[in-house]
C-alpha cells in the first residue's frame, strides 16, 4: 500500500492560526464580490466551513492547524480520491433515476474530481519522488 494511503497520526496541538479562520475570511470576501446564486454559494460555504471547524474541534479536541504534525498533501489526496468515488456514484444515481440534467452536472464534477486527484498525486510525486 502506498504510504500516502496509510492512516495519519492524530493531529497534535500547534502554534499556527487555526486554518479555518483564514479560509472563512476568504469565503466571506468572495461572497462580498459576487451576486445572486454565486454569492449564496460562497455564503453557504462560510456556514459549512464553520460547521466543519466545530465538528473537527469536537472530534480532535483542537482546531485544525497547519503545524499539527500531519502530511496535509497526503490527507488532501485521500480526500480527493474519496471525492472521485462520491461524484461518480452521484452521477450514476442521477442517471439511473432518469435525471439527466443532474447526471450531466454530476458527471462534470466527477471529471473535475478526477483531475484534482490526478494533480494531487502528481504533486506528491514531484514533492517526494514517488
Amino acid at each position: 500500500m502506498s504510504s500516502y494511503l496509510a492512516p495519519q497520526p492524530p493531529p497534535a496541538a500547534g502554534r499556527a492560526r487555526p486554518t479555518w479562520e483564514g479560509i472563512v475570511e476568504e469565503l466571506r470576501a468572495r461572497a462580498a464580490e459576487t451576486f445572486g446564486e454565486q454569492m449564496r454559494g460562497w455564503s453557504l460555504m462560510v456556514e459549512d466551513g464553520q460547521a466543519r471547524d466545530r465538528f473537527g474541534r469536537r472530534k480532535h479536541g483542537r482546531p485544525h492547524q497547519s503545524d499539527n504534525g500531519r502530511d496535509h498533501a497526503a490527507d488532501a489526496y485521500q480526500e480527493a480520491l474519496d471525492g472521485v468515488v462520491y461524484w461518480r456514484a452521484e452521477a450514476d444515481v442521477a442517471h439511473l433515476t432518469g435525471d439527466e440534467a443532474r447526471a450531466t452536472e454530476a458527471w462534470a464534477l466527477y471529471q473535475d474530481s478526477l483531475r484534482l486527484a490526478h494533480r494531487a498525486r502528481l504533486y506528491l510525486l514531484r514533492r517526494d519522488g514517488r
Side-chain angles (χ1 to χ4, degrees), residues 101-118:
R102 189 176 119 216
T104 298
E105 186 171 8
W107 187 260
L109 287 161
Y110 164 66
Q111 294 297 318
D112 289 344
S113 68
L114 277 175
R115 284 188 286 278
L116 176 61
H118 183 250

